């Protein structure tokens, strides 16, 4: 998985916790990469899962809450770094409908080794959508955080319910029901 996910995770830990906590979790996780990430590098997604587990141990926060918070933070960073993707998009559901066929495609051009997940959207109504997530990685909880980060970026409230699907293992496939609350 692309290094940007790792560098942003470390930034979040430094911002929300401290530089010492960053060092502590790198030490505890005993990573094959040694924890020295660059945004254009490519690393095993298992490392970020390992780092989140270690952060949970060190901070006492639940893994689920940390992944969710990371998804929200990451969306904000994507929006800062790739502001052009947000031109002429009026709301979060419209934006999410562009991720599969436009944004994740552009991402693959920008980061050639990227293999983003599959996201398919079925718009049921102006304020309601089904988003189906499938990946070879168990990152459905991260997708939930990104969805909430997206709603927050557009200053909208979206009720998100997630149904886990079997996929190729826990967390690899899910169906999200999204309802925008007026
Ligand atoms: C709500 C909108 C979005 C959702 C739900 C979403 C979902 C995800 C998830 C869950 C992953 C983790 C990898 C996996 O599951 O296999 C991912 C990877 C990624 N996404 Fe998105 N994403 C969204 C928007 C964006 C945007 C706006 C950008 C960039 C501007 C972006 C760029 C990336 C990149 C660079 C990766 C890493 C892929 C790799 O390393 O193989 N995503 N996305």
């Amino acid at each position: 998985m692309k290094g940007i996910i790792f560098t942003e995770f470390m930034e979040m830990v430094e911002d929300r916790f401290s530089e010492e906590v960053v060092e502590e979790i790198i030490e505890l996780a005993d990573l094959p990469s040694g924890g020295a990430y660059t945004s254009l590098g490519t690393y095993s997604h298992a490392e970020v899962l390992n780092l989140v587990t270690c952060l949970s141990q060190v901070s006492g926060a639940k893994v689920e809450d940390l992944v969710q918070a990371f998804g929200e933070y990451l969306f904000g960073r994507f929006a800062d770094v790739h502001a052009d993707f947000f031109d002429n998009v009026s709301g979060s559901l419209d934006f999410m409908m562009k991720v599969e066929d436009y944004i994740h495609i552009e991402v693959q051009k920008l980061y050639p080794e990227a293999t983003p997940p599959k996201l398919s959207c079925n718009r049921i109504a102006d304020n309601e959508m089904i988003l189906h997530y499938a990946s070879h990685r168990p990152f459905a909880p991260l997708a939930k955080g990104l969805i909430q980060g997206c709603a927050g970026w557009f200053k909208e409230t979206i009720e998100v319910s997630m149904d886990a699907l079997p996929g190729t293992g826990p967390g690899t496939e899910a169906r999200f029901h999204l309802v925008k609350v007026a």
Side-chain angles (χ1 to χ4, degrees):
M1 197 164 70
K2 292 315 297 175
I4 184 168
I5 308 288
F6 295 81
T7 54
E8 293 302 342
F9 179 75
M10 293 307 200
E11 283 289 324
M12 181 193 79
V13 178
E14 195 178 327
D15 273 18
R16 307 259 163 102
F17 297 91
S18 66
E19 176 69 48
E20 290 69 41
V21 170
V22 172
E23 280 160 23
E24 214 176 320
I25 61 172
I26 289 176
E27 174 106 20
L28 199 62
D30 192 18
L31 306 158
S33 73
Y37 302 114
T38 64
S39 63
L40 293 178
T42 302
Y43 309 92
S44 163
H45 70 264
E47 290 201 10
V48 84
L49 296 174
N50 188 349
L51 284 164
V52 173
T53 308
C54 293
L55 181 60
S56 167
Q57 280 167 25
V58 167
S59 67
K62 285 197 231 151
V63 167
E64 196 190 320
D65 294 345
L66 291 170
V67 173
Q68 163 98 18
F70 176 48
E72 290 179 27
Y73 176 92
L74 187 60
F75 190 89
R77 293 293 300 135
F78 283 158
D80 287 345
V81 178
H82 299 287
D84 47 314
F85 291 151
F86 291 76
D87 290 348
N88 306 316
V89 188
S90 55
S92 68
L93 298 184
D94 287 353
F95 183 85
M96 285 184 247
M97 290 179 76
K98 291 178 66 173
V99 175
E100 172 73 9
D101 291 335
Y102 171 52
I103 295 169
H104 276 167
I105 302 281
E106 290 302 310
V107 157
Q108 280 174 294
K109 295 182 196 159
L110 293 167
Y111 309 97
E113 289 164 305
T115 52
K118 234 188 136 15
L119 305 175
S120 47
C121 294
N122 179 8
R123 189 73 167 257
I124 297 168
D126 214 33
N127 69 331
E128 188 176 1
M129 190 163 87
I130 301 291
L131 186 154
H132 179 267
Y133 163 90
S135 177
H136 56 292
R137 308 181 181 107
F139 283 177
L142 182 67
K144 187 173 180 205
L146 284 159
I147 291 167
Q148 253 140 7
C150 180
W153 194 89
F154 285 96
K155 301 196 168 34
E156 294 172 354
T157 304
I158 304 271
E159 281 171 1
V160 184
S161 56
M162 178 174 125
D163 288 321
L165 299 171
T168 52
T172 58
E173 190 177 351
R175 180 181 177 273
F176 294 96
H177 184 200
L178 314 180
V179 179
K180 181 177 155 187
V181 184

